[in-house]
Amino acid sequence: MIDTPRAEGAYRPGYEVAAEQVLELISRLRLRPGDRMPTENELARQLGTSRTVVREAVKILSALGRVRAQKGRGLYVADDEGMLGTGRWASFFLPTDLDHVYMLFEFRRAQEMETSRPAARRATPAELGDIEKSAGVCRHGFDNGREDLFIEGDDAFHAAIATASHNMFLQIAVREVRRLQAQSNLIGLRGSIGGHAAKAVEEHEAIYQAIRAGDPEAAAQAAATHIDNTLDGYRREIQQRIFSPTG
């Protein structure tokens, strides 16, 4: 386990805390995709908060694909999606549990390395073009202060490498793990990797060049460096949130 202090003293809005508590409740009750959840009133009572806070928490969880609201019928655990059973991963993954987040980083490191190796051996000219193009979108987003473009390019970059691996299981795994990591950025930890953006665009270029050169080991090492540096930036942000005084 990666030894990193928890941000227990940091301020978080009530709806973010409630969103995490709802996920913990789903796990504790062993609810499966498609199972009906307690009503908003029941959740508010169990969590000791207001229905308004619960409603905002449910909106976040719905946007993340963890909860499904059916008008007139109530709340349900979202249906399982993805060939690797993302619902089974999501049933225990808590986006604001730092141990879970750091374990996910460890998994991503191994995953990205193993995806880059076959991509360096198998990428077609068209697939190389897609990798280069998505890296350019990411760089353009950073250069122009467009976080939406940066995220779009970053997602497309890693997806394009997975496609170039010509391994459908790696493609699905990369997509689903990134979806889980996006949840931790939206609930409580949003913006935590922003400080790494400048390095990220250069690291993308290094990964692309190694894949283009057909060098599997160089591509894997560049991918490992990228994830390691992303994690370091994440840790620094968490440290700031723990020890910086709140206004």
Side-chain angles (χ1 to χ4, degrees):
M1 189 66 62
I2 298 174
D3 184 16
T4 304
R6 296 174 180 272
E8 293 179 352
Y11 168 77
R12 292 168 57 207
Y15 61 84
E16 290 185 353
V17 176
E20 180 179 9
Q21 291 174 332
V22 170
L23 291 178
E24 291 172 343
L25 181 65
I26 291 172
S27 178
R28 188 167 67 249
L29 295 178
R30 298 183 181 278
L31 298 179
R32 306 300 302 164
D35 286 350
R36 187 166 185 170
M37 295 172 50
T39 65
E40 288 185 355
N41 283 335
E42 291 170 340
L43 288 172
R45 179 178 57 78
Q46 292 189 42
L47 302 182
T49 189
S50 70
R51 185 176 177 183
T52 300
V53 169
V54 169
R55 187 176 296 116
E56 291 303 311
V58 167
K59 286 180 181 178
I60 291 177
L61 295 174
S62 295
L64 294 175
R66 300 292 292 270
V67 169
R68 177 166 47 87
Q70 291 190 7
K71 190 172 183 179
R73 296 187 60 191
L75 301 175
Y76 293 81
V77 180
D79 293 334
D80 194 349
E81 296 177 356
M83 290 175 59
L84 295 186
T86 307
R88 286 186 286 277
W89 293 10
S91 66
F92 70 81
F93 178 70
L94 299 175
T96 52
D97 186 318
L98 292 185
D99 281 343
H100 287 199
V101 173
Y102 293 135
M103 282 191 286
L104 195 62
F105 266 108
E106 287 181 339
F107 181 68
R108 270 199 69 198
R109 187 182 194 274
Q111 180 191 65
E112 296 283 357
M113 290 180 71
E114 292 309 313
T115 303
S116 296
R117 284 190 177 100
R121 294 193 298 266
R122 302 169 182 166
T124 66
E127 289 163 349
L128 286 171
D130 288 340
I131 296 171
E132 182 180 29
K133 179 181 178 181
S134 56
V137 171
C138 194
R139 181 183 291 274
H140 180 73
F142 172 72
D143 289 342
N144 292 276
R146 289 279 306 276
E147 184 181 2
D148 58 330
L149 280 182
F150 178 87
I151 293 172
E152 177 187 330
D154 188 46
D155 284 340
F157 177 79
H158 291 281
I161 293 173
T163 297
S165 76
H166 291 220
N167 184 312
M168 68 176 179
F169 294 103
L170 287 173
Q171 293 168 24
I172 295 165
V174 167
R175 183 187 70 222
E176 299 302 346
V177 167
R178 287 184 66 81
R179 189 168 76 88
L180 289 179
Q181 192 155 39
Q183 294 182 7
S184 68
N185 294 336
L186 285 170
I187 299 183
L189 301 174
R190 67 171 62 86
S192 293
I193 62 173
H196 174 245
K199 283 186 177 179
V201 294
E202 302 304 327
E203 291 158 6
H204 284 175
E205 179 66 18
I207 296 169
Y208 164 68
Q209 290 296 341
I211 292 174
R212 184 171 181 268
D215 189 332
E217 292 311 311
Q221 187 54 55
T225 297
H226 177 49
I227 299 301
D228 288 345
N229 288 341
T230 302
L231 175 56
D232 285 345
Y234 200 100
R235 280 172 167 159
R236 285 193 296 272
E237 178 66 21
I238 293 300
Q239 290 279 358
Q240 288 181 342
R241 294 184 183 210
I242 293 173
F243 297 114
S244 295
T246 57

